[in-house]
Amino acid sequence: QVQLVESGGGLVQAGGSLRLSCATSGSIFSGNTMGWFRQAPGKQRDMVAIITAGGATTYAGSVKGRFTISRDNAKNTVYLQMNSLKPEDTAVYYCYASHNSAPYWGQGTQVTVSS
């Protein structure tokens, strides 16, 4: 069973920072693209940031320059460092993994940014 375990969400004031973590097994992490998506109430789930096995990154335009995705291959963990947070960043953030051409999702972690 594929497990993606997220942590690090919470409540923060606008302008603040949070770091999300997503840990998984080596069989899922190694050689696969990982990433973060988010879903605000009443909206679709959107890509925030993606990182390939080789370390290439892609960001949504709304977070570029504020968020940084990284991966620690020794710990089978992907991170999302979120700086200069805005109220519009409020959402449930989901960890994503692409494994054997299938998508896998974490349970989600709530990020709330107060103005």
Side-chain angles (χ1 to χ4, degrees), residues 9-33:
L11 173 65
V12 64
Q13 288 188 331
S17 299
L18 284 173
R19 188 176 82 153
L20 305 183
S21 300
C22 173
T24 187
S25 64
S27 62
I28 300 302
F29 188 87
S30 298
N32 289 313
T33 292

Side-chain angles (χ1 to χ4, degrees), residues 2-5 22-29 34 75-77 97:
V2 176
Q3 281 193 315
L4 302 172
V5 181
C22 173
T24 187
S25 64
S27 62
I28 300 302
F29 188 87
M34 304 287 295
K75 296 182 178 180
N76 297 330
T77 300

Side-chain angles (χ1 to χ4, degrees), residues 16-86:
S17 299
L18 284 173
R19 188 176 82 153
L20 305 183
S21 300
C22 173
T24 187
S25 64
S27 62
I28 300 302
F29 188 87
S30 298
N32 289 313
T33 292
M34 304 287 295
W36 293 93
F37 285 65
R38 67 186 181 187
Q39 188 168 19
K43 296 188 176 181
Q44 67 181 20
R45 189 175 298 187
D46 291 326
M47 186 273 289
V48 176
I50 293 290
I51 186 166
T52 68
T57 57
T58 302
Y59 293 94
S62 60
V63 307
K64 198 172 294 184
R66 299 188 296 123
F67 291 11
T68 302
I69 189 171
S70 61
R71 60 194 294 160
D72 186 330
N73 294 332
K75 296 182 178 180
N76 297 330
T77 300
V78 63
Y79 303 98
L80 185 68
Q81 177 67 43
M82 305 185 292
N83 298 328
S84 301
L85 283 160
K86 304 175 181 179

